[in-house]
Amino acid sequence: LNNETAYAHYLQGKDQERQRQYKGAGEEYLKSLSVDSYFIPALTGMARLAYRQTNYRLAMNYALKALSVDTYDPEANLIYGLTGLALGDTVSAIDGFSIASEDVSQRCAAFNALASLYIGRNDYREALHYAEKSLIYNRLGAEPARLKALCLRKLGMQPESESQLDLMEKNDPLDHFVRFEKYLANPTPENKTQ
């Protein structure tokens, strides 16, 4: 009966969160946690809300509590990774994103985050690896395609970069990223005008 009550409050909170009624969502999640303080969906809900409010320490605490129950919970790991990144703890971020990527529901977001993180470290080979993994699961994804194109340029792989940019331009002719990358790869007056 307690689990049913905790779950009912969680569902109400989740519904309010979807409707962007964050205060009400937080109240429902807290009601759920008052019934079962280790109810993972409510903990991850509170972590999401705290992250949204840029209260990264609180978000990390909720994520860690959820992970103390289930180390492999994909959503808790994604939030753990995001808060780790926000707090400058890239080791925790890599940990969280790596585990989150094991679940198909979080896979693309986790791979994109890992690629971005490695770009920030100037490790373009590793970033390219994760961008390509993301594209396996989201072939038309704009973010992993952009990450891949950037990495290819930074690695000096000009023909591959041009091919990637041409493909992206074919999918979205108005993508400003494509024109800017072409300019960075070849800073001619014509590319600058484009």
Side-chain angles (χ1 to χ4, degrees):
L1 187 60
N2 281 347
N3 284 346
E4 288 177 18
T5 304
Y7 190 67
H9 286 296
Y10 161 73
L11 288 177
Q12 289 176 350
K14 183 77 169 172
D15 186 49
Q16 289 185 4
E17 187 179 357
R18 275 193 208 113
Q19 295 175 32
R20 298 184 179 165
Q21 298 172 354
Y22 301 117
K23 183 179 179 192
E27 291 169 359
E28 290 299 325
Y29 291 148
L30 288 174
K31 286 178 187 175
S32 177
L33 291 172
S34 72
V35 175
D36 180 355
S37 63
Y38 286 92
F39 188 56
I40 294 174
L43 289 168
T44 56
M46 287 301 294
R48 274 193 314 274
L49 294 178
Y51 182 82
R52 175 179 266 304
Q53 295 171 341
T54 66
N55 189 342
Y56 303 124
R57 290 271 174 226
L58 184 60
M60 179 67 84
N61 290 339
Y62 279 118
L64 284 170
K65 191 169 183 179
L67 293 172
S68 74
V69 178
D70 180 1
T71 304
Y72 300 102
D73 184 81
E75 189 172 1
N77 272 292
L78 189 68
I79 295 167
Y80 176 71
L82 290 169
T83 55
L85 198 56
L87 293 169
D89 182 357
T90 56
V91 172
S92 293
I94 291 169
D95 241 9
F97 295 141
S98 296
I99 295 171
S101 72
E102 295 300 318
D103 187 273
V104 73
S105 69
Q106 308 296 326
R107 188 165 289 153
C108 290
F111 285 152
N112 291 343
L114 284 164
S116 296
L117 195 147
Y118 282 108
I119 286 172
R121 290 178 156 193
N122 297 324
D123 187 347
Y124 300 109
R125 184 115 0 240
E126 193 68 12
L128 178 61
H129 169 74
Y130 284 110
E132 288 176 333
K133 284 179 90 166
S134 182
L135 282 168
I136 290 169
Y137 298 98
N138 185 9
R139 292 190 99 31
L140 298 177
E143 185 176 359
R146 289 175 179 158
L147 293 168
K148 179 178 179 180
L150 186 145
C151 290
L152 290 169
R153 177 177 56 81
K154 289 289 198 174
L155 290 168
M157 301 170 74
Q158 192 64 26
E160 294 89 344
S161 176
E162 287 175 15
S163 176
Q164 178 66 28
L165 291 171
D166 289 343
L167 178 64
M168 291 168 62
E169 190 171 38
K170 184 179 175 184
N171 290 334
D172 183 1
L174 302 177
D175 189 346
H176 298 300
F177 177 88
V178 171
R179 289 190 293 281
F180 191 67
E181 275 294 310
K182 285 183 176 185
Y183 170 73
L184 290 175
N186 187 13
T188 63
E190 181 184 324
N191 281 344
K192 185 175 182 180
T193 301
Q194 288 294 322

